[in-house]
Amino acid sequence: MNDCVFCKMIKGEIPSYKVYEDKTVVAFLDINPVHEGHVLVLPKKHVVNLEDVSEKLLNKTIKIVKKFGQSIKDNLAPGYNIIVNNDPVAGQEIQHLHFHVIPRYDKDRLTTWTRNQYGEGRVELIQKQLKIN
Ligand code: AMP
């Protein structure tokens, strides 16, 4: 946590291009943007993954994510992606929960996922494994 780059940015120990700040949530420009205007929105409290954050704090954070979606559409681009990388295996480089809000443009040639098909019996099995109440 003490080595967390985002915690240091929140404390002002590392410079950042802040685009929003309140008591619990902060947003700044990603220093290596997918497109200009790529914003990172995060709770100030150090939590690692989405499943670690309280619903109250998540609610406050996602409201700001939503506002940046609107700001991007009003000011920059016709659409956007929201991405959260959870855990290193999913591409998470900084272990402090953050929402990427990424402007998207027509024919910007960014690929998202490759898609697959379920094999015999797999979709029913996975449905059983993942079901929540
Ligand atoms: P992730 O891979 O989801 O953990 O994303 C981490 C993001 O933080 C990357 O998109 C980086 O470009 C961004 N990043 C790393 N260091 C900084 C920094 N000092 N200021 C702004 N963005 C940063």
Side-chain angles (χ1 to χ4, degrees), residues 5-6 9 14 28-32 38 40 85 91-94 98 100:
V5 173
F6 288 169
M9 289 166 75
I14 294 178
F28 38 73
L29 297 180
D30 193 305
I31 204 68
N32 295 125
H38 177 167
L40 302 173
N85 296 322
Q92 186 179 21
E93 288 173 8
I94 298 186
H98 52 284
H100 294 257

Side-chain angles (χ1 to χ4, degrees), residues 14 21 38 60 73-74 85 88 101 112 119 122:
I14 294 178
E21 181 169 22
H38 177 167
K60 288 181 176 176
K73 287 182 75 166
D74 289 344
N85 296 322
V101 192
T112 49
R122 292 294 297 170

Side-chain angles (χ1 to χ4, degrees), residues 13-14 23 29 37 39 47 53 55-56 58 66 80 93 117 124:
E13 295 170 8
I14 294 178
K23 271 197 317 201
L29 297 180
V39 172
V47 292
V53 71
E55 291 192 6
K56 192 174 170 194
L58 177 61
K66 180 180 174 182
Y80 59 94
E93 288 173 8
Q117 293 191 330
E124 295 83 1

Side-chain angles (χ1 to χ4, degrees), residues 105-124:
Y105 297 91
D106 190 29
K107 300 192 180 77
D108 64 11
R109 299 165 62 102
L110 293 175
T111 54
T112 49
W113 322 105
T114 53
R115 298 298 185 121
N116 298 296
Q117 293 191 330
Y118 280 103
E120 181 71 26
R122 292 294 297 170
V123 68
E124 295 83 1

